[in-house]
Amino acid sequence: MNSLVRYLSVASVFLMLSASALYSQRRNVNYDEAKVPQYELPDPLVFESGKKVKNARQWTSKRRAEVVEVFADQMFGHVPAASEGVHFALVSEQEVYGGLGVRKVVRVFLDESDKHWFDVLIHLPKGVDGPVPMFVGLNFKSNAATLDERAGFRWPYEMVLKAGMGVATAWRDAVEPDGKDSNIKSETDVCRDGGVRSWYNEGGDWGAISAWAWGLSRIVDYLETDPAVDKDKLIVIGHSRLGKAALWTGANDLRFDMVISNDSGCCGAAISRRKFGETFEVIGTSFPHWFTREFDKYKGKEEIFPADQHWLVSLVAPRPVYVASATEDLWADPKGEWLSAKHAGEVYKLFGLSGLGDKMPGPDSPDRENHVGYHLRTGKHNIVAYDWQQYIEFVKTHFKDKK
Ligand code: GTR
């Protein structure tokens, strides 16, 4: 008994210490524009050899891969190729929203066995001409939770179906649990032992963000077989940590034709060297499992990271990319998110495409006519109907004449 009491008091002191460490880390966070350090952004258009990238061909054939390697080696870890024997089964199918669309659940088996799988919840509009553009993204709580009315604003299926587009989503934790513990369960989706990193690890050092990217690519493996889906209009979308995953997925999987980052912040769209809001120190301490172990050495040293996040955004080029922020989401550094979207425009220019205007737009005034889109929504860290409306418009603009 005595030892139990001692154990409990040691454990509670430990918990208090780590909570207060986290609190003071958050307290020391800079939200003052005047305190943003002087910094110099690394140029994505310079080869490792030091030579300048002169045209789109050089970017596509060589420089792009160098940039992907920087993030794979130093931040997220490598995303392995598909496992062998991926196959699919239709679990259920029903008409929804008074015949506006079809809802189906497709089980993606991750190898030739029937042991490892996750379910994808798919909504497709009915009565439309030909295959449709698809949003593809992971969700935080479970597929069933996206249907919950209270959460409905995050996944406004009806609105997307009305726009003649579809949505495919899978639960993040069914692909890879978001924590050091496995065996996380939600009411409806069971996350079995471990996740894809433990099943297909092969000695690799990849973080959970890479595992989520891997899962998103397996969803595309299925979508490519579905005749209702336009394979040339696939959009990867994600909010917050899943926004970081969306950017990284788009960087790795060129089958995605557009990338949308909603409030992705640190290690997503935000410029790290600004050290505004969340920093490498905080993110690397709170969420070490998101990253490769190499990332540890950059804690507190954003300025020696070989890239900055505008490189990640520019990996989407020449495909359209959209970055969004929210006025009250200072933790994710709206200005830093806008800046990296703005600077990514340099790479789009190589392709003869335009990026963002010179001035950061004010609240609720989207800049979405060109190949790089951005908006600053009034409100908190979240993804809501307003955000989706902008994304739908962006899709309409860019996929209008796309074959
Ligand atoms: C926060 C984290 C952010 C962001 C967010 C989320 O706690 O610091 O980087 O990813 O979680 O995913 O909601």
Side-chain angles (χ1 to χ4, degrees), residues 387-402:
D387 301 305
W388 281 92
Q389 274 156 10
Q390 313 318 312
Y391 305 147
I392 287 171
E393 290 309 313
F394 195 62
V395 170
K396 282 189 191 155
T397 306
H398 288 285
F399 289 171
K400 196 172 43 172
D401 302 318
K402 192 169 193 286

Side-chain angles (χ1 to χ4, degrees), residues 36-62:
V36 168
Q38 289 277 343
Y39 62 87
E40 204 181 310
L41 279 182
D43 185 352
L45 293 175
V46 177
F47 286 111
E48 259 156 34
S49 65
K51 284 208 181 113
K52 191 89 188 118
V53 178
K54 290 205 214 82
N55 51 45
R57 191 184 48 75
Q58 290 183 349
W59 170 266
T60 307
S61 65
K62 183 149 178 243

